Amino acid sequence: MPEEERRTFWRKPPHQNGHCQKIGAKRLMPIWCGGKYKSVLLVLAGLLVLDGVIWYLILFPKGADGNLELYFLDVGQGDSQLVNLPAGVQVLIDGGPPNSRVLSELSEILPASDSYIDLVVMTHPQLDHFGGLIDVLKKYKVGAFIGTGRKGEIDAYRELIHVLKNREIPYIVLEEGDRIKNGDNLFSVLSPNNQNLLSKELNDTSLVLMLERGGLKALYTGDIGFSVENYLTGKYDLRAQILKVPHHGSKFSSGAEFVGEVKPQVAVIGVGKNSYGHPTREALERIEEKGSRIFRTDQNATVKVVLEDQNLAIFAENDGY
Amino acid sequence: MLDFIISLRSNKIGMPLHDKAFYSVSFFLIGVLLASFINDWQQKILVTVLVTVLVAMVFLIMRLYALSTLSVVEGLPYKSFWLAILSLGILLGAGYYFVFDAEQKDFNIHFGDKITFTGIIQKVSTGLNQQNLVLGLQDPYQGRIRITAPRYPSWSYGDLVEVQGTIKKPSEQSEKYFEKEGIFGTASFPEIAFMESGRGSPIKSLLFKIKGFAEATFKRVLSPEKAAFMSGLTLGETAEFSKEFREKMSLTGTSHLVALSGYNITIIGKGVMLALGLWFSRRKIFLLSTLTIILFVIMTGAEASVVRAAIMGFIVLLANQVQRLYSFRNAIAIAAFLMILFNPKILVWDIGFQLSFAAVMGLVYLEPAIRKLFKVSPKPGFLNWRANLLTTVSAQLAVIPILLSNFSSFSLIGFLTNILVLTFVPATMFLGLLVVAAGILSYYLAQVIGWLANIFLSYEIGVIDLFAKIPIQISVQSFSLIFSVLYYVIIITVILYARRRKAHVLA
């Protein structure tokens, strides 16, 4: 192959550099056609664009539009919810199983420039709730990690703790009666108390959170069963417009009395392909009886609830209503 | 093979050393090829000896004939004499395969029952839902097995573990694939207990750490899909691809992008050359791009397949650097020889190896032929489109039979998607290298470069998503060897025809 033809692979032969002359802008030639300056100019232009992007991000921060957004993420069989508080504060409750789905979901919701999550909550140490959190803690900077202090019984839990230590994320232990406040948004911890925390049934140690903002209330229940439900029913005013249905719609949760107390307008079930029969017919019927609209992450994908001027707007796929 | 034919046609006197080297290597490869196709031991020996004798006879008869007629075909008698001697290389190649095979099959694994055994983890690949481990068994057992384990706890190269479970023989379909890797058993989700770490080679363990760092950096600065795609492009690591995305890539004929072949490495090399072309002299650029390739190999953990790809990529760069075609021919033969020496089973059972080789052959021999026949302008065109189109067409034409016989489909829309995607792949890969390099210094720096990479990745994934919706592809039920041979004969004829035309024009 002739010498010149070979050259074209990575370098323009001299005659092709002559396109500058064709432009006819002779005054610009010394700058643009100088070869050496051309690359400097390109780098400068690149930096300028980057600078613009950074200024844009500073001047128009995400989440400043002032609406409360609740996401129920489709992570397969498991639970994961994101709360976007109006000030741009993010709270992630559980991370689903270890399949990286939560990362995909988060990257669709959060802008590429956002690498910070304020709070990550683990309701209880079971793999379908914290598995995905290991990925989250590795990828994002996290303000604090919140849990009940109850230790997990599987190897993956050690991995979680290892990542927490490695990335120096503080682990804050909360129990019944504790509160998290941000502006006029309030998370109250309704469970577990000491007794529930020691329960043999790991599901009943779940952190139960009530989110309040103005008149809106949303209840996050982890995997609690009848016994904790009954405990809560006797003690608290559970009325809430939005309910994260406990334990993926298990038949040993969502008791008639409990659901009646909460009386949600919207009930969301975090569920995927599974061998447990979740969500069960029994649980679905008990919730439907109270006139709630049921959304399931396996059918409706990720469900987004937005509070706009005291009105609830729901975004979901395959919404049959 | 092509050069083989060309040299037979040219009538040089005697046989220079580089030719001797080339033919001995070629005969060696033919021997390995023969040995891999036949299963039975005795048959293998018999067939190889017969073929060797036959080939030698043909060349000897040619010499005798030439001598007896005292023809004016200068040089041929001498040459055929040498070829007859060198054809003994077939025996050597086949013999090497036998020894390698016997050595490799010298394992001691207890199949079928639940047993407890110990071993050292030699390879870890982490997918979305699980980890695949390669375990080297320890006394009283011997051999390598593959273990499927849950995603957590994470295991590392060099961990000594105690395993309780049942080892099964690989299924018939996957047997050859595993055999090529020297794996003779599989165990799924056994109980694994950690005993000790750091039992592997310190160099390998460092290399794997570097690869792990690269992957982790991509994951931190990019969304999971983009990080996976970037890992595929730059590290050839596809374990974290979703099934849907794999499907899309195959529909759009872009799977080769993430199979880190010689092709990718060539792209990196050329990209670096292009970027540095403004500042440095040709020789320096060549050295720098070689250095970049070495860096990439280290970044990927220097796995055998990547080293192979690097050698192939390096050879293409070399071809650009060195104009003498015969030295390129030798380089490619020696590269193949070295790889085969390392593991003779890849010649027939490793599709990646075949694709790499065929594509490189296409780039080197078919591309100039197409250029000539269609009188393509030597200008690279806007954003290099013409060069990319030519590269794509010649590489794809060269691999069609391999794709059809292994995956029974070939994407026609692939020509278009490849041009659209390939244009930006070098830049993306280079940014990938920068992201990792920046990640060593500061997370924020890596993040900023990551945003740039993000733009390219969005575009590339976007193109793949879009064209996966309108796939146009050829599918076949089965593709027999005869068709492949026929196809390549046609391609070789076209190349030879193009070369003659060139000679004509020059004359």
Side-chain angles (χ1 to χ4, degrees), chain A residues 17 31 49 66 79 89 143 163 177 204 207 220-221 240 252 258 289 292 315:
Chain A
N17 251 343
I31 304 169
V49 170
D79 257 344
V89 171
V163 178
D204 283 340
L207 206 63
Y220 292 89
T221 55
F252 305 111
F258 173 74
E289 260 170 37
S292 310
F315 302 88

Side-chain angles (χ1 to χ4, degrees), chain A residues 3 5-6 9-11 39 50 98-100 103-104 107 115 134-135 138-139 141 155-156 159 167, chain B residues 128-129 151-154 219-220 222-225 270 273-274 277 279 282 320 323 371 443-444 448:
Chain A
E3 165 85 3
E5 212 168 308
R6 288 271 173 216
F9 275 118
W10 68 85
R11 195 177 201 177
S39 50
L50 213 62
N99 58 9
S100 295
L103 285 188
S104 309
S107 70
S115 58
I134 299 175
D135 283 329
K138 279 182 184 166
K139 181 178 163 80
K141 291 195 181 306
D155 288 335
E159 192 113 2
R167 304 218 50 190
Chain B
L128 286 176
N129 297 309
R151 172 121 182 250
Y152 299 111
S154 324
K219 273 193 215 162
R220 285 192 67 188
L222 298 165
S223 76
E225 288 79 16
K270 280 184 184 172
M273 285 180 162
L274 198 73
W279 289 291
R282 216 172 129 176
N320 292 338
Q323 266 87 59
R371 239 177 227 281
Y443 163 73
Y444 294 101
V448 169

Side-chain angles (χ1 to χ4, degrees), chain A residues 32-91:
Chain A
W32 187 242
C33 302
K36 226 203 251 170
Y37 298 108
K38 194 170 165 180
S39 50
V40 175
L41 278 181
L42 276 175
V43 171
L44 275 178
L47 286 175
L48 207 67
V49 170
L50 213 62
D51 191 47
V53 171
I54 293 169
W55 275 111
Y56 174 83
L57 292 171
I58 293 171
L59 294 175
F60 305 99
K62 40 96 201 185
D65 53 347
N67 284 332
L68 174 67
E69 297 171 341
L70 311 177
Y71 293 89
F72 299 83
L73 307 176
D74 173 21
V75 291
Q77 173 66 10
D79 257 344
S80 182
Q81 298 92 36
L82 178 75
V83 178
N84 228 340
L85 298 180
V89 171
Q90 283 132 4
V91 180

